[in-house]
Amino acid sequence: MRKAVIRFIDFFYPPFSRWFTVHTFRYIVSGGTTAASGIVVYYIVYNFILKQRHVLLPFPPGMITAPVAALIIESFITFLIGFILNKYLVFTQSELKGRIQFFRYGTVVATNILLNFAMLKVMVETFHFYPTIAKIITTIILAVFSYFTQKHFSFKVKK
C-alpha cells in the first residue's frame, strides 16, 4: 500500500522537479493532505457538530468558544493523519525509533497547536475574521514552520 501511494504521488512530481526534490514534493503533498483534512474537519466540526455554539464545561474555564473547541477536536484527528503520512511516505530514511519520532512529532504539533490557538484567537476575536478563513491563514503560516522542524528535528536523518 505504501509503495502504491508513493508511486501515485511521484506520478505528479515531474512538472515540479525544477523547483523541488522528490522528498520535498512528497512533504508538500503529505502536508497539503493533512492541512486540507484539518480545514475540512474544522469546518465540519465548527458548523455541523458544534453548530457554531460555544461549549460549556463542568470545570474551569467553564466555557470554550466554538472556534477553539473545533480546533481542539480537529487537532487530534490531524495529528494522527500527519504522523502516519510523514513517517511512512516522507521521512522513510530516518533511523530514529518510531516512539522517538512520535514524541518529537508530538512536541512540534503541540507547539503548532499553541501557535494555532493564539493566532486563531487573535484573528477571530480581535480582528473579527470568519473562523474558517482565520484557520486557512494560520495553516499556511504554520506549514512553513512545521516543514523545517519536522525535517531537522522529528524525523532527523543522521549524516
Side-chain angles (χ1 to χ4, degrees):
M1 177 80 168
R2 181 183 154 276
K3 288 181 181 180
V5 173
I6 288 174
R7 276 196 305 269
F8 179 76
I9 293 170
D10 291 353
F11 175 79
F12 296 98
Y13 172 65
F16 301 96
S17 62
R18 291 180 173 176
W19 301 289
F20 309 113
T21 64
V22 71
H23 180 264
T24 303
F25 182 75
R26 289 177 188 165
Y27 184 84
I28 291 168
V29 170
S30 295
T33 301
T34 303
S37 299
I39 291 166
V40 169
V41 169
Y42 183 89
Y43 179 83
I44 291 168
V45 170
Y46 179 76
N47 290 295
F48 299 107
I49 296 173
L50 298 176
K51 298 180 181 172
Q52 301 180 7
R53 290 189 224 135
H54 302 318
V55 177
L56 297 175
L57 302 173
F59 51 85
M63 181 186 75
I64 298 176
T65 63
V68 173
L71 174 64
I72 292 168
I73 294 166
E74 174 258 333
S75 296
F76 283 109
I77 295 168
T78 56
F79 175 83
L80 295 174
I81 293 169
F83 179 75
I84 290 167
L85 291 176
N86 279 297
K87 179 171 178 53
Y88 295 106
L89 298 180
V90 180
F91 299 105
T92 57
Q93 302 298 316
S94 178
E95 294 177 8
L96 293 172
K97 293 184 186 282
R99 68 178 184 272
I100 293 170
Q101 290 174 339
F102 190 77
F103 176 77
R104 288 182 176 190
Y105 185 83
T107 302
V108 173
V109 169
T111 302
N112 276 354
I113 289 170
L114 293 174
L115 291 170
N116 208 330
F117 171 78
M119 292 170 73
L120 194 61
K121 194 159 184 67
V122 168
M123 281 191 249
V124 171
E125 294 179 12
T126 304
F127 297 115
H128 306 289
F129 282 37
Y130 184 73
T132 305
I133 299 299
K135 176 63 178 150
I136 292 168
I137 294 167
T138 300
T139 298
I140 292 167
I141 293 167
L142 292 177
V144 174
F145 169 75
S146 185
Y147 171 76
F148 290 106
T149 54
Q150 297 303 357
K151 182 177 180 180
H152 299 291
F153 178 65
S154 301
F155 300 98
K156 186 177 182 177
V157 176
K158 294 179 182 178
K159 293 180 180 180

